[in-house]
Amino acid sequence: MAAEKNVHMTGIGEAARSKVPMNRRLGFWTNSAVLAGFVIVISSLLVGGIVGANFPPRQAVWLILFAALSNSFVAIFICGIAARTGYSSALIYRFAYGSKGSILPNLVMALTGVGWFAVIVNITRDAFVDLVGIPVDSIGNWISMVVISALFVVPAYKSIRWIGYVSWVAVPALLVVLVVVLWKTVGDAGGVSPLFALTKGSGMGILTGMTIAAGGWLQGATVSADFARFFKNARASTGGVLLTFGVLVFIQFAGGAFGAAVTGEWNIFLIVSSFGLVSVTFIALFLGAWSTGQAIMYGASLQTAAPPIPMWKDQETTRRAAVIILWVAAVVAGSLGIETVMNWWLTLLATVIAPIATTVILDYWAFPSRQKMYESGRSPDTLVNPAALVTWIVGFLVGYYSGKQNFGVAVINGMIASAIVYYPWMYLTVSRSQRAEQTLQGRQETKAVVLEGGQSE
């Protein structure tokens, strides 16, 4: 245990068990490019496409604005923690959930990331086999998925700088596609006014639409610490978030939503195909899929290679082994056709992740004493934080069932329920100088333990 603690404290670059020291941080524009490569992707266009296929443009624009703002709010606070501490999301979760309890959020975030990766790969594969004429029911279809997914994980296997190399090319290429899609959309609709005059929609409830729109990027916002820890301070991370999660995600949502409103397709590859542009734009869309896929798998590898997962040889070897294991899981998910359940998938993302985001934000920003613990570099003060685990269960159940009943916005309901559970519990804990699991044991007994040991256990 002592050896692991020493490894954790040494500040080894970008490995899964280290905080990033200042001399390894990246400049604002370089790191913003990495973050932009994470958000400038076909997944944003897919979420926007689902909203646009189900709601007329006048409603869709408010839904995607809500999604961009809500995810920016979450990302600003989480990225601020990462920039101030140098910790990845997996190491941040250890303080809120406990050194052993962090397995829960890490597995949730890693598995949802693998699911997103499989969706992106399959949609890219579908466009590729259609472009080159590979039969859908042939072995070549499956081989294409495996090869594309393998290519997408290479930068994730290598390092954050390799991710940056792809992002520098992918971001401008996909921005060009966005401009073309918006231009063609407005042109085919007959202008901006006729576009917003379209009234078709599927009849999906507006509250469900808000949940799907917000849930589409909640996973990314909650793991954004994996990239924001390379910013030099919280101010820089806030600027990067506003530029990426705020402006760029909204523009992508709009491109997908408006394109879907005109063509009736939610898949961005099918949208550009409807415009007769698939052969021209495929490379840019491929690069965009690559930039997101690599970032997703990089973050998932950090979450599945962090303590308490045993270390194999060294930090980076453990993380790279995790990349390979996650890639195999993604191939399995892709083979099962996970992209066919997108609406359910996005709703699930919102309900399982919202409590995690709420817990982490409150744990750091609402309690100065715990904030000092994060920034001191010492280990978490508990093995399992029951307050965080109960909060996750309650937040998930409230979000899930309120979503099924179409009562309020599921993601907001889950966050409110999580805050109602976590904040009072931890306020009582902090005011008594206790660990969370001691809160219900009685104040006098806990004080005796603190005095006998000289410090809180």
Side-chain angles (χ1 to χ4, degrees):
M1 183 68 180
E4 178 177 301
K5 182 177 180 181
N6 288 335
V7 170
H8 174 73
M9 294 289 289
T10 55
I12 302 174
E14 60 197 54
R17 298 168 183 255
S18 306
K19 65 188 320 182
V20 179
M22 278 297 172
N23 62 358
R24 294 294 297 273
R25 305 290 180 98
L26 304 176
F28 174 79
W29 290 110
T30 298
N31 210 43
S32 292
V34 172
L35 204 57
F38 181 44
V39 303
I40 294 286
V41 289
I42 64 168
S43 53
S44 299
L45 294 165
L46 295 176
V47 174
I50 291 175
V51 173
N54 287 283
F55 296 93
R58 286 187 182 277
Q59 287 185 329
V61 71
W62 292 109
L63 291 176
I64 60 181
L65 179 61
F66 165 77
L69 291 176
S70 60
N71 282 292
S72 294
F73 177 84
V74 171
I76 283 172
F77 284 102
I78 289 182
C79 287
I81 300 173
R84 294 175 68 164
T85 64
Y87 289 132
S88 67
S89 58
L91 297 181
I92 290 173
Y93 299 155
R94 296 187 77 213
F95 292 95
Y97 284 82
S99 56
K100 302 294 184 183
S102 60
I103 289 179
L104 170 65
N106 281 335
L107 284 180
V108 168
M109 302 311 297
L111 291 177
T112 53
V114 166
W116 253 128
F117 180 84
V119 167
I120 293 169
V121 167
N122 270 15
I123 290 175
T124 308
R125 180 274 316 271
D126 291 345
F128 173 75
V129 298
D130 182 66
L131 185 66
V132 300
I134 297 176
V136 175
D137 56 352
S138 69
I139 187 65
N141 189 51
W142 185 83
I143 292 175
S144 297
M145 180 196 67
V146 174
V147 172
I148 290 172
S149 64
L151 181 63
F152 283 7
V153 301
V154 168
Y157 181 87
K158 295 292 291 183
S159 71
I160 191 74
R161 291 191 180 276
W162 278 63
I163 292 175
Y165 299 149
V166 175
S167 297
W168 274 115
V169 179
V171 170
L174 203 56
L175 285 175
V176 171
V177 171
L178 274 171
V179 172
V180 172
V181 168
L182 288 171
W183 176 68
K184 289 290 293 182
T185 297
V186 173
D188 284 20
V192 175
S193 296
L195 173 63
F196 278 88
L198 295 175
T199 58
K200 63 180 180 179
S202 68
M204 177 186 288
I206 190 74
L207 299 177
T208 301
M210 293 176 75
T211 297
I212 288 176
W217 259 111
L218 189 58
Q219 197 270 353
T222 307
V223 300
S224 55
D226 297 335
F227 310 100
R229 63 194 181 129
F230 291 93
F231 281 112
K232 294 182 178 180
N233 52 59
R235 180 180 297 178
S237 72
T238 299
V241 167
L242 291 175
L243 177 63
T244 54
F245 281 89
V247 176
L248 297 182
V249 166
F250 175 77
I251 294 174
Q252 291 174 97
F253 280 167
F258 298 155
V262 171
T263 65
E265 303 284 357
W266 65 270
N267 183 330
I268 184 60
F269 285 102
L270 296 180
I271 290 174
V272 297
S273 179
S274 298
F275 293 142
L277 300 171
V278 66
S279 59
V280 177
T281 60
F282 176 80
I283 296 299
L285 290 172
F286 184 89
L287 287 170
W290 191 353
S291 69
T292 296
Q294 63 184 8
I296 288 173
M297 293 299 272
Y298 176 80
S301 71
L302 290 174
Q303 288 137 24
T304 50
I309 301 299
M311 185 166 63
W312 179 48
K313 293 186 178 179
D314 55 54
Q315 296 187 66
E316 194 62 3
T317 301
T318 305
R319 189 191 69 79
R320 288 177 172 176
V323 170
I324 296 174
I325 294 171
L326 293 169
W327 172 68
V328 173
V331 169
V332 173
S335 300
L336 296 175
I338 191 173
E339 76 281 2
T340 61
V341 291
M342 277 292 287
N343 282 5
W344 169 82
W345 176 251
L346 294 176
T347 304
L348 179 69
L349 286 178
T351 53
V352 301
I353 294 173
I356 296 174
T358 304
T359 299
V360 170
I361 290 171
L362 285 177
D363 196 64
Y364 181 86
W365 294 104
F367 304 106
S369 60
R370 294 187 64 78
Q371 190 175 109
K372 292 178 181 178
M373 179 177 64
Y374 281 68
E375 296 174 2
S376 67
R378 61 190 178 90
S379 299
D381 64 348
T382 185
L383 294 178
V384 177
N385 183 352
L389 298 184
V390 171
T391 295
W392 184 80
I393 294 171
V394 172
F396 166 69
L397 292 177
V398 169
Y400 180 76
Y401 284 106
S402 65
K404 289 194 67 173
Q405 299 300 318
N406 203 30
F407 177 76
V409 182
V411 64
I412 300 299
N413 294 341
M415 286 185 149
I416 292 174
S418 301
I420 290 174
V421 173
Y422 194 74
Y423 182 80
W425 191 330
M426 290 306 297
Y427 180 84
L428 185 62
T429 296
V430 170
S431 65
R432 293 180 174 182
S433 298
Q434 297 173 322
R435 298 197 306 262
E437 67 268 30
Q438 296 175 315
T439 306
L440 302 180
Q441 296 176 0
R443 186 171 183 176
Q444 184 174 0
E445 178 183 348
T446 303
K447 277 189 171 181
V449 174
V450 172
L451 290 174
E452 181 181 349
Q455 59 181 3
S456 176
E457 294 184 354

